[in-house]
Amino acid sequence: MAPRYRALHAVLRLLPTARTVRSRGFSTLPEPVVRMEYQDAIRTLNTLQTNASYLEHVKRQRSDPVEQLKAMRLFLERSGLRVEDLDQLNIIHVTGTKGKGSTCAFTEQILRNCGLKTGFYSSPHLVQVRERIRINGQPISKELFSKYFWQVYNRLEETKEHEDSPMPAYFRFLTIMAFHVFLQEKVDLAVLEVGIGGAFDCTNIIRKPVVCGIASLGIDHTSILGDTIEKIAWQKGGIFKPGVPAFTVPQLAGPLEVLKSRAQEIGCPLYMCPDFAEYEDDSLSIQLGLAGEHQRVNATLALQLSHTWLQRRGFQGIGEHKSPKQIPSVKWPFPLAPVFRPSVPMVEGLQNTVWLGRSQILQRGPISYYIDGAHTNSSVKACVRWFHQVALNEERAGMGAVIRVLVFNATGERDTAALMKLLQPCHFDYALFCPNISEVSGVDIADQQNYNVTLENILTRCLENQKKWNRLMEERSCSDHWGSSLPVDALIKESPRGAPLLFRPSSERLLNCNSLVFPCISHALQWATQGRDQDLPCPDINLLHHQPVASSGSVLLREAARVQILITGSLHLVGGALKVLDQSLSQ
């Protein structure tokens, strides 16, 4: 048997049963005894193609993007709505590569704090698909989801011209459904997060948003958006609308020029957000509900979006304009947005924002979970900076040995070797690789089904990631152990005495970072915690893995004063982990 297949067979043996593998792909959902209306809705939704199929569909159609939006309009009309109806939603439309979800979360919370009834459409979901459609910050209930799902689905079925007429794909369907929810539930506004890109994303069917925003840009989804940041900027700038103000944050010079050109071509007034420090003064220091220095960039964009929305909708007392504290050192290619003093609801909104799976910490006795859905080079760098700070602070406060564990997976076309190389300065003792599946038992996870990959494919990818990680570790051990591709400020923090303190001297860690592959997230976390997290049910730990390194690692993990676990690489991985760690999210 070839080495690859021996390794795959070894992981497959860890599965308790193979009965959950179906011929069309890998599904972790067994046939239920009792069929519930909500679960029926989720299963039916899953037949409409999941994200991977949607991406392939977009790739085939991207040469004729007008047809994409035309098809979306036809689906909307078949569901009983016209594009003109969406003008009533007072939409805030946000795109970007990194930070668009956090920006939307800040914006929604600010406007909800102002007493408005908010709708919020985002993707992907972490645990349950209804998280994508929120009213006043809360996912719509299972009852409401079922009501609107069947209302839209049945209407689309009834309006088929013939038996083979298509249904909208997964993301398109949920976008149409969100419009129905927000209109019928009579929200005051809808914060709309773009799915992929902007120009040809199905959310861009809207005609008259109140304001638009573009968060930080980077390289992602290159097969759809283009292989340079300038091409990606062109796609993102496609959400600009004539006469509708738009805001962005500091970017590289190339994409900024593209955004400027797009704005001029469309007739959109475009502004640069001021530095977050400009909103603060001696009497006002703003604390953010989301951790990480990078969130200050998202927060300044959210302040401009919410302030402009309130201004354009005729609200008073929304923050007095003030002079900038200093003249910007950079000359931007378009005007700098005015600085204002945030109102109390704005400040409290920023403080109270919660956005799970982003720079999130869960403390469980001696176990610390650091959870971040970073999945691009820039977001992983931000994750490492955040993890560096919070993990080091925890170590300084405690006594005794600390074991550091990485739980990693990445999906799609991403360069996993590049992402893992960025994580290496964290000096992990163990690296665990697993698919984005919370449980191998497949109980109650219809929301996380994926019909686009087989069990063999997802486990083979985990084994490939393990091999890449081991190769990177070997290369690192042959070079200077302080070497890193990250900027110095991501790795060094000044100690109280002023001496530079590096993130984690490798001499204090194991000589080699051992790696293991698990068939699901729960098994990986159960092994990493060794029964020390009382809220995480743990069967016989010895059955979780049969490799010698697992046995020796078990002893070290049980004896360590603290165990720090970073879960990153994919929002889908993070969602599966949160499902395992916080049962309330599945309620």
Side-chain angles (χ1 to χ4, degrees):
M1 187 182 294
R4 169 188 165 186
Y5 292 103
R6 281 201 299 270
L8 181 61
H9 181 68
V11 178
L12 285 169
R13 283 195 306 152
L14 300 175
L15 289 164
T17 177
R19 285 195 299 273
T20 56
V21 181
R22 296 180 181 176
S23 59
R24 69 176 291 188
F26 179 59
S27 166
T28 55
L29 186 71
E31 196 65 29
V33 177
V34 179
R35 297 178 65 81
M36 299 173 60
E37 187 177 4
Y38 173 73
Q39 291 298 322
D40 285 346
I42 300 302
R43 291 189 188 90
T44 305
L45 173 65
N46 289 340
T47 68
L48 298 180
Q49 304 172 320
T50 50
N51 193 49
S53 292
Y54 173 68
L55 295 183
E56 288 299 320
H57 180 69
V58 172
K59 289 177 195 176
R60 290 193 299 270
Q61 288 192 341
R62 71 180 185 274
S63 60
D64 193 357
V66 176
E67 285 300 312
Q68 293 183 50
L69 295 180
K70 180 180 177 182
M72 181 63 181
R73 281 192 290 271
L74 290 174
F75 284 129
L76 185 72
E77 290 170 6
R78 280 176 50 192
S79 76
L81 290 178
R82 300 169 303 158
V83 173
E84 293 82 355
D85 296 328
L86 307 182
D87 298 346
Q88 305 170 42
L89 289 177
N90 300 316
I91 290 170
I92 298 174
H93 203 194
V94 182
T95 188
T97 307
K98 179 171 71 78
K100 58 188 170 81
S102 298
T103 297
C104 288
F106 279 132
T107 305
E108 184 277 331
Q109 180 71 65
I110 288 171
L111 293 172
R112 180 155 41 100
N113 262 36
C114 293
L116 296 160
K117 184 176 182 179
T118 61
F120 180 11
Y121 179 61
S122 65
S123 61
H125 62 278
L126 295 179
V127 179
Q128 297 191 62
V129 69
R130 57 195 182 88
E131 297 165 21
R132 296 180 183 229
I133 305 174
R134 296 171 182 257
I135 302 288
N136 284 334
Q138 295 300 312
I140 59 173
S141 66
K142 291 182 177 180
E143 291 76 18
L144 270 186
F145 187 95
S146 299
K147 170 188 170 182
Y148 286 109
F149 175 86
W150 292 117
Q151 181 185 109
V152 174
Y153 187 87
N154 291 336
R155 178 66 177 162
L156 287 165
E157 282 282 359
E158 292 165 1
T159 53
K160 282 184 174 181
E161 291 184 2
H162 48 80
E163 189 66 27
D164 295 331
S165 293
M167 291 286 279
Y170 188 94
F171 185 76
R172 283 182 174 178
F173 181 93
L174 286 171
T175 304
I176 293 169
M177 179 176 158
F179 291 146
H180 279 268
V181 172
F182 296 153
L183 284 167
Q184 293 185 52
E185 295 298 317
K186 294 180 169 48
V187 299
D188 295 316
L189 70 128
V191 179
L192 205 61
E193 180 189 358
V194 167
I196 295 173
F200 310 127
D201 184 76
C202 64
T203 63
N204 206 32
I205 192 175
I206 62 173
R207 305 183 315 158
K208 296 180 180 179
V210 176
V211 62
C212 298
I214 297 184
S216 299
L217 298 179
I219 302 294
D220 199 15
H221 298 298
T222 54
S223 62
I224 296 172
L225 305 180
D227 56 1
T228 68
I229 197 167
E230 287 78 15
K231 291 178 181 177
I232 290 171
W234 188 92
Q235 294 279 354
K236 305 290 184 181
I239 70 167
F240 294 155
K241 301 292 185 294
V244 175
F247 297 84
T248 191
V249 297
Q251 319 275 4
L252 296 174
L256 281 181
E257 286 297 330
V258 173
L259 292 179
K260 176 185 176 181
S261 175
R262 287 286 264 163
Q264 291 175 340
E265 169 193 325
I266 293 170
C268 160
L270 177 61
Y271 301 92
M272 174 61 67
C273 291
D275 186 88
F276 188 74
E278 291 290 337
Y279 302 100
E280 302 177 303
D281 53 40
D282 293 340
S283 62
L284 178 63
S285 178
I286 305 174
Q287 301 298 315
L288 301 182
L290 304 184
E293 187 69 18
H294 58 286
Q295 293 294 355
R296 292 170 66 87
V297 175
N298 301 326
T300 185
L301 179 54
L303 282 171
Q304 290 293 332
L305 293 174
S306 54
H307 183 267
T308 301
W309 190 95
L310 291 166
Q311 195 174 52
R312 298 195 77 201
R313 302 310 298 170
F315 285 77
Q316 304 297 319
I318 57 176
E320 300 176 1
H321 286 281
K322 64 177 187 176
S323 300
K325 290 189 290 186
Q326 58 184 13
I327 299 174
S329 57
V330 178
K331 179 70 175 175
W332 302 114
F334 37 83
L336 188 68
V339 179
F340 58 89
R341 183 179 177 84
S343 64
V344 172
M346 289 179 173
V347 173
E348 292 179 348
L350 292 175
Q351 292 172 344
N352 297 336
T353 299
V354 175
W355 195 228
L356 297 182
R358 287 80 170 175
S359 305
Q360 181 181 356
I361 302 174
L362 290 178
Q363 298 280 5
R364 301 277 180 81
I367 309 295
S368 298
Y369 300 98
Y370 300 91
I371 305 170
D372 191 89
H375 53 275
T376 66
N377 284 11
S378 55
S379 60
V380 169
K381 287 178 183 178
C383 172
V384 168
R385 286 192 288 268
W386 163 72
F387 179 66
H388 155 62
Q389 182 64 59
V390 292
L392 197 60
N393 288 344
E394 182 188 52
E395 289 190 26
R396 284 173 173 166
M399 298 291 289
V402 175
I403 296 294
R404 189 169 288 161
V405 180
L406 170 68
V407 179
F408 180 88
N409 193 36
T411 59
E413 59 194 18
R414 295 179 178 88
D415 184 349
T416 55
L419 297 181
M420 290 188 287
K421 187 173 184 178
L422 294 172
L423 290 163
Q424 286 200 307
C426 298
H427 294 290
F428 294 102
D429 298 302
Y430 293 94
L432 312 183
F433 302 93
C434 60
N436 301 331
I437 301 167
S438 54
E439 306 275 358
V440 293
S441 62
V443 176
D444 192 30
I445 56 172
D447 297 79
Q448 297 177 331
Q449 273 189 305
N450 187 349
Y451 284 127
N452 293 278
V453 291
T454 65
L455 174 60
E456 179 179 347
N457 286 342
I458 58 176
L459 291 178
T460 297
R461 175 142 188 169
C462 291
L463 290 165
E464 290 171 351
N465 287 340
Q466 180 191 35
K467 186 183 295 184
K468 291 175 185 176
W469 176 268
N470 292 341
R471 189 180 302 121
L472 288 168
M473 291 301 299
E474 290 171 4
E475 293 171 357
R476 189 177 181 86
S477 66
C478 295
S479 62
D480 180 2
H481 67 272
W482 294 128
S484 171
S485 61
L486 284 179
V488 173
D489 67 345
L491 304 175
I492 298 179
K493 178 175 175 62
E494 293 294 318
S495 71
R497 297 180 182 178
L501 179 63
L502 281 119
F503 188 18
R504 187 67 172 164
S506 58
S507 59
E508 295 182 17
R509 315 206 63 76
L510 300 178
L511 293 178
N512 294 300
C513 176
N514 298 290
S515 59
L516 294 166
V517 174
F518 289 88
C520 68
I521 298 166
S522 62
H523 282 195
L525 295 180
Q526 287 165 359
W527 181 84
T529 56
Q530 294 291 311
R532 301 179 70 186
D533 178 353
Q534 296 183 1
D535 295 326
L536 179 62
C538 193
D540 187 347
I541 296 170
N542 295 322
L543 298 178
L544 293 177
H545 216 293
H546 307 299
Q547 293 292 325
V549 66
S551 300
S552 60
S554 297
V555 176
L556 293 172
L557 288 164
R558 285 195 294 268
E559 294 178 350
R562 296 208 62 82
V563 178
Q564 298 175 335
I565 304 172
L566 175 63
I567 305 169
T568 193
S570 166
L571 277 170
H572 300 286
L573 174 72
V574 160
L578 287 173
K579 184 181 189 305
V580 172
L581 296 172
D582 187 350
Q583 298 296 316
S584 67
L585 297 176
S586 300
Q587 301 302 315

